Amino acid sequence: MAIAAVVIIPIGILFLVTGLIVNLFQAILLVFVRPLSKNAYRRINKELTELIWLELIWLFDWWANIKVELFADQETFEIMGKERALVICNHRSDIDWLVGWVLAQRASCLGSSLALIKKASIYLPVIGWSMWFSGFIFLERNWAKDEDTMKSGFESLSDFPVPFWLALFVEGTRFTQEKLVAAQEFAASAGLPVPRNVLIPRTKGFVAAVTHLRSFVPVIYNMTVAIPKNEPRPTLLRLLRGRSSTVHVHIERLLMEELPETSSGIAQWCKDVFVAKDAFLERHLETDTFGDDKRRDIGRPKRSLLVVICWSCLLILAIVKIFEAYPFSWGEVAFCVVFLALVTVLMQILITFSQSEHSTPPKASEQAQLKQVLLQR
């Protein structure tokens, strides 16, 4: 279903133009600052990146008024954003990553939130490029190629100058009913606990992450995302339409030093966590809460609103000055029409790219190999 032009065009223009401006400054920093000081580059890039990502936070917080209800103990809530953390989470919707960014923004580490993400994301204009400048680890979903990529990516974080979150969706793909059925069939045939709310984790990447990060990343944030019974599932499409919803997020802080030392032990630990997460989500379905005694108020900071207002004023001022300096011609009108069409197409691509139903399902030819692959992982 097409999005009303009155919504998509202004939002798209603002995001595309301001994003490209920030991308240009990021490229300049990469060429002229990073060779002199990697830490200075990372600190400045953190602030620049937030100028783009806060526009998405504004969409979430102010345009759609989506509420994130956080459940965590007091110690975890107070220390969030003040330490390096590996974040693992179930992957239920197409904006789980944005929910994570909202929490990171509240914890003052939005610009230093990183992730292991599929390589195709790097080709997304503005947002994918900002991720590349920020040091995201892009994977091809081919272990022979990704193993070295992950190792070098993890090692590059050892001297990161500010606290960071590194997100890893260990299920490897978004949750769909089709994939759940495949996971249940495999679990039943392998004698494993049959999941109802999560997929079976692919532990190779998690084992590699723990092995390489445990010397300088002290904690794991075990994040669980759920949607209350009477709330619509938030999607990027609904977000752009300004449709509100509520998301429940539970965070459990786990010490990295308490994990097993062996690869097999780490893999089993991850599987056990997701068995517990499955049961945790089942209880949430019954009670519609993660425990009211752990509910924390994360507020709705005005910084994203101020960033969008400032960007909008600068863009309007620039447009006015251009119109004053250069009279209209048919060629310029045609350029504007083409530009608006490009914005619309790019926004539709972003929406399509993010939707759960468009995430790549397992190929039929892979089903016979599924049991062997998961057992090895």
Side-chain angles (χ1 to χ4, degrees), residues 244-310:
S244 183
S245 185
T246 299
V247 180
H248 287 177
V249 181
H250 180 272
I251 296 181
E252 179 185 17
R253 182 175 178 268
L254 304 168
L255 297 179
M256 188 77 79
E257 64 183 17
E258 295 181 355
L259 268 67
E261 295 292 335
T262 65
S263 295
S264 60
I266 296 170
Q268 187 60 50
W269 183 93
C270 182
K271 294 174 184 177
D272 292 342
V273 164
F274 267 75
V275 170
K277 189 185 294 288
D278 188 33
F280 198 39
L281 285 166
E282 194 66 25
R283 289 196 297 274
H284 182 277
L285 286 174
E286 297 172 358
T287 62
D288 222 26
T289 182
F290 285 130
D292 290 333
D293 59 323
K294 293 185 177 181
R295 194 187 303 260
R296 308 296 171 188
D297 180 18
I298 64 171
R300 186 172 65 162
K302 295 182 175 62
R303 188 181 179 193
S304 63
L305 180 62
L306 294 175
V307 165
V308 169
I309 291 173
C310 290

